Amino acid sequence: MNFQAIKSIYIFEMARFFRTLMQSFISPVISTSLYFVVFGTAIGSRIESVEGVGYGAFIVPGLIMLSVMTQATSNASFGIYFPKFIGTIYELLSAPVSFFEITVGYVGAAATKAMFIGIVILATSFLFVDFTIEHPIAMIAFLTLTCLSFSLLGFIIGIWAGNFEQLQLIPLLIITPLVFLGGSFYSVSMLPPIWQTITMFNPVVYLISGFRWSFFGTADVPIGLSLFAIGVFTCICLGIIAWIFRTGWRIRQ
Amino acid sequence: MSNIVEVRSLTKTYDGGFEALKSVDLDIKQGEIIALLGPNGAGKTTLISSICGITRATSGTISIGGHDSVTAFRAARNLVGLVPQEINLEPFEKVINTVRFSRGLFGKAPNDSYLEAVLKSLSLWDKKDAKVMTLSGGMKRRVLIAKALAHEPRVLFLDEPTAGVDVELRKDMWDVVAQLKEDGVTIILTTHYIEEAEAIADRIGVIAKGEILLVEDKADLMTRMGQKTLKVDLAEPIAEIPKGLSDYDLTIEGEGLLYSYDTTTERTGITSLLADLQKAGLKMTDLQTRQSSLEEIFVSLVAEKEGGA
Ligand SMILES: Nc1ncnc2c1ncn2[C@@H]1O[C@H](COP(=O)(O)OP(=O)(O)OP(=O)(O)O)[C@@H](O)[C@H]1O
Ligand SMILES: [Mg+2]
């Protein structure tokens, strides 16, 4: 195991993040504030509470998930796509590193960045609404798992993508709609029964529900099912990456 | 001398079906400098990429320092540094950080004093905190070399290291290469500048259309092809070679005479030829010597190949 290499990749990728620290920091703060103004204040004044939680507080876990999932995916996909694009991938391919080490380095860095942004949003939320986190350890665990699994997904997208359009296609076309329709801003129980059934096919529902449980102790689906869903999702991503390792698909000609 | 790199029956067919390497065999000796010459598209970069693990060979084997490049890729690649043909660098990062990254990637513990020495030898030390994108093309190329040397490789591949580099800098790079050789690093370089191969290589390989046409000691090659000719311009043309000069290998060409000789023999016969010319009463107006260069050897080899293929 080439730990030195993992460390180098991780540090190099984090340096990219720190170079643009202000952007990385300010944009989630601003967008979170906007969400609170629009959803929390404007709409929240009409909706008193959802499942016994004030609407402003109710959307916090969904907001965090929304940002964390999109950030993890785009960070990880960009992280591995960029070396392919500018050609510096030659160095990874000629180095005594296995694909596993490369994945750990890139995915680790992307997940860290997403985690950081998630925490920034959480901190910003406290400025707008009052709430307590019922299961902080479960909350951290869910957040970490989500960052990791969506970074894995982003990593796959980055390897697959042949140009910048493709890089943005999946997050835009699949992840954002799934997250919006996954109960970020409402409880699934608020939907008509037919939509409740359809929603159950959206994997993101399980993640947001589980994450919300860690905050308020209430959930749309049982917590065990949420854990199972995120586990399955992570395993699928790992499986695809393992296949990419073996075949060198889109990486090594 | 033992071989540090052994390539056996290496073929590479790209996805589109193009056969870029056709059963290449190549031995690279420990500590030598070998120059690979060949026209554009000959397969030089493909060969280097296959050895370094950037492309997968279609068939054949490669061993580096006795380690198979696929089954023992870590041990094999640890020994190898690569300077790619294209300038591929992270533009926003500082020079020193990209070099540190390269060292770490190869599993080496940080060693800033070693990296300092490398950057100094490439006259990059004062640029260590500059962002890569603010460097000139020649400097970027040297950054690539610094990255390749960052993990103290024993075998260094340089794919056209001096393309687009000015004359002075090119000489500096040759000095760097000579120093590396002194430190025992084996060097494989590709180049289009034949004088570069002549100046620094111990052996020369010629590759065209995915096949190695020849690998030979530079000195042997030069000797074999090292015929030199002396052209003597005469004040008045002559119809036939005077009797007293029949012992020399002379031919009449236009207004003058051509004398062929071998530079490697102790006596070239030039002095006596000139004396005998005078004795024969021939007036000379000018003298020129010419040597068949590596370039001519190379051009004729490749032309043969392309004509035959
Ligand atoms: N990725 C690729 N896919 C398909 N064909 C390729 C690929 N890379 C190279 N080739 C082809 O393989 C042949 C050899 O290319 P290579 O880059 O090895 O040549 P080279 O000797 O390095 O040339 P140059 O002196 O121009 O650098 C060329 O005909 C090229 O078009
Ligand atoms: Mg080339």
Side-chain angles (χ1 to χ4, degrees):
Chain A
M1 194 72 152
N2 187 346
F3 288 107
Q4 205 57 253
I6 297 176
K7 195 176 115 196
S8 295
I9 294 173
Y10 185 84
I11 290 173
F12 201 71
E13 281 303 297
M14 290 311 285
R16 194 197 309 288
F17 179 60
F18 287 119
R19 277 200 295 272
T20 55
L21 191 63
M22 280 318 271
Q23 278 151 270
S24 318
F25 188 77
I26 285 180
S27 79
V29 170
I30 291 182
S31 61
T32 311
S33 306
L34 287 176
Y35 276 117
F36 274 115
V37 172
V38 175
F39 286 97
T41 319
I43 299 176
S45 60
R46 306 283 171 95
I47 309 170
E48 289 254 300
S49 68
V50 182
E51 290 165 1
V53 180
Y55 188 68
F58 178 81
I59 63 171
V60 171
L63 269 183
I64 294 174
M65 279 304 210
L66 175 66
S67 291
V68 157
M69 285 174 189
T70 47
Q71 287 287 336
T73 313
S74 68
N75 280 328
S77 62
F78 186 80
I80 188 69
Y81 178 74
F82 195 59
K84 269 199 333 181
F85 179 69
I86 62 171
T88 51
I89 187 114
Y90 85 86
E91 215 178 1
L92 291 174
L93 298 179
S94 65
V97 292
S98 68
F99 215 96
F100 178 72
E101 289 145 1
I102 295 177
T103 310
V104 173
Y106 279 99
V107 167
T112 309
K113 296 176 205 176
M115 189 84 175
F116 170 82
I117 287 163
I119 289 167
V120 166
I121 294 174
L122 182 63
T124 312
S125 307
F126 281 116
L127 300 178
F128 290 88
V129 284
D130 241 357
F131 59 91
T132 49
I133 300 166
E134 277 194 27
H135 310 282
I137 291 172
M139 192 277 283
I140 296 290
F142 252 104
L143 191 61
T144 310
L145 268 175
T146 309
C147 288
L148 271 178
S149 56
F150 277 77
S151 296
L152 287 170
L153 176 69
F155 190 76
I156 296 169
I157 294 170
I159 288 173
W160 162 78
N163 55 50
F164 275 103
E165 284 73 38
Q166 290 181 342
L167 200 62
Q168 273 152 9
L169 200 68
I170 304 253
L172 206 69
L173 229 57
I174 300 179
I175 296 176
T176 309
L178 283 186
V179 177
F180 263 91
L181 302 174
S184 312
F185 301 110
Y186 54 85
S187 163
V188 174
S189 61
M190 293 157 83
L191 296 173
I194 171 81
W195 281 104
Q196 286 194 23
T197 314
I198 292 173
T199 298
M200 287 302 140
F201 291 100
N202 179 354
V204 175
V205 166
Y206 301 87
L207 306 187
I208 293 181
S209 166
F211 195 49
R212 189 171 285 136
W213 171 85
S214 70
F215 276 74
F216 309 120
T218 58
D220 292 329
V221 294
I223 178 69
L225 199 55
S226 291
L227 281 171
F228 178 73
I230 195 163
V232 167
F233 179 64
T234 308
C235 286
I236 291 173
C237 290
L238 286 174
I240 294 173
I241 288 174
W243 173 80
I244 290 173
F245 295 169
R246 275 207 317 278
T247 59
W249 180 71
R250 300 241 173 166
I251 285 274
R252 186 177 268 131
Q253 279 185 309
Chain B
M1 255 190 293
S2 62
N3 295 329
I4 191 148
V5 178
E6 291 184 349
V7 177
R8 292 284 173 272
S9 322
L10 183 70
T11 66
K12 172 66 190 179
T13 307
Y14 279 108
D15 285 346
F18 182 80
E19 199 179 9
L21 293 176
K22 300 165 188 163
S23 193
V24 167
D25 289 294
L26 181 64
D27 288 331
I28 293 161
K29 296 177 195 159
Q30 170 99 47
E32 73 170 341
I33 300 181
I34 181 167
L36 293 175
L37 294 170
N40 287 134
K44 303 181 293 295
T45 300
T46 305
L47 176 59
I48 289 181
S49 300
S50 307
I51 298 174
C52 296
I54 293 166
T55 54
R56 290 172 179 236
T58 308
S59 64
T61 59
I62 297 159
S63 92
I64 302 165
H67 310 288
D68 184 89
S69 74
V70 177
T71 56
F73 76 95
R74 282 185 207 270
R77 289 184 198 171
N78 264 327
L79 301 172
V80 176
L82 166 66
V83 178
Q85 181 173 3
E86 311 285 337
I87 296 185
N88 301 321
L89 286 167
E90 164 87 40
F92 308 110
E93 192 49 91
K94 284 185 199 167
V95 170
I96 184 76
N97 289 343
T98 69
V99 178
R100 282 186 187 134
F101 172 71
S102 302
R103 185 176 171 88
L105 205 54
F106 279 76
K108 286 269 159 77
N111 181 348
D112 277 359
S113 61
Y114 171 76
L115 295 183
E116 179 177 340
V118 168
L119 288 176
K120 280 186 173 156
S121 76
L122 292 160
S123 321
L124 281 172
W125 183 240
D126 54 335
K127 292 283 180 189
K128 69 179 196 309
D129 291 318
K131 282 191 178 171
V132 167
M133 64 182 179
T134 65
L135 302 183
S136 76
M139 291 174 190
K140 285 181 189 152
R141 204 163 271 290
R142 280 178 286 156
V143 173
L144 285 178
I145 299 178
K147 282 167 74 70
L149 293 175
H151 67 279
E152 304 165 52
R154 303 312 298 155
V155 187
L156 182 66
F157 288 87
L158 295 152
D159 200 352
E160 297 191 32
T162 53
V165 167
D166 69 33
V167 179
E168 200 183 331
L169 204 61
R170 196 177 302 167
K171 296 270 156 61
D172 286 352
M173 278 196 194
W174 294 356
D175 291 343
V176 171
V177 168
Q179 182 58 48
L180 286 169
K181 181 187 154 85
E182 223 164 272
D183 299 341
V185 179
T186 306
I187 292 156
I188 299 93
L189 62 93
T190 72
T191 179
H192 287 286
Y193 301 112
I194 289 164
E195 72 270 24
E196 184 160 285
E198 270 191 66
I200 59 177
D202 301 315
R203 285 200 305 155
I204 288 170
V206 177
I207 173 168
K209 296 206 160 172
E211 285 177 67
I212 296 214
L213 304 183
L214 152 164
V215 181
E216 221 173 292
D217 257 41
K218 179 182 65 180
D220 291 351
L221 194 61
M222 301 295 286
T223 315
R224 187 149 68 80
M225 312 275 186
Q227 282 286 310
K228 229 173 164 175
T229 53
L230 173 71
K231 184 161 184 276
V232 184
D233 285 342
L234 297 174
E236 284 161 27
I238 51 168
E240 60 177 37
I241 294 170
K243 269 220 181 85
L245 299 172
S246 54
D247 284 350
Y248 297 97
D249 179 11
L250 285 172
T251 47
I252 298 174
E253 198 197 66
E255 305 275 284
L257 290 168
L258 274 187
Y259 171 58
S260 303
Y261 60 96
D262 193 342
T263 48
T264 53
T265 55
E266 210 151 281
R267 297 176 163 274
T268 57
I270 294 178
T271 329
S272 56
L273 171 72
L274 293 182
D276 286 343
L277 281 172
Q278 226 159 13
K279 258 189 233 161
L282 299 175
K283 266 198 176 161
M284 297 169 267
T285 56
D286 201 1
L287 295 174
Q288 292 166 25
T289 63
R290 233 176 53 80
Q291 179 167 32
S292 58
S293 67
L294 200 51
E295 182 136 14
E296 284 167 295
I297 301 167
F298 169 68
V299 168
S300 68
L301 263 174
V302 171
E304 234 171 77
K305 174 73 200 162
E306 310 222 303

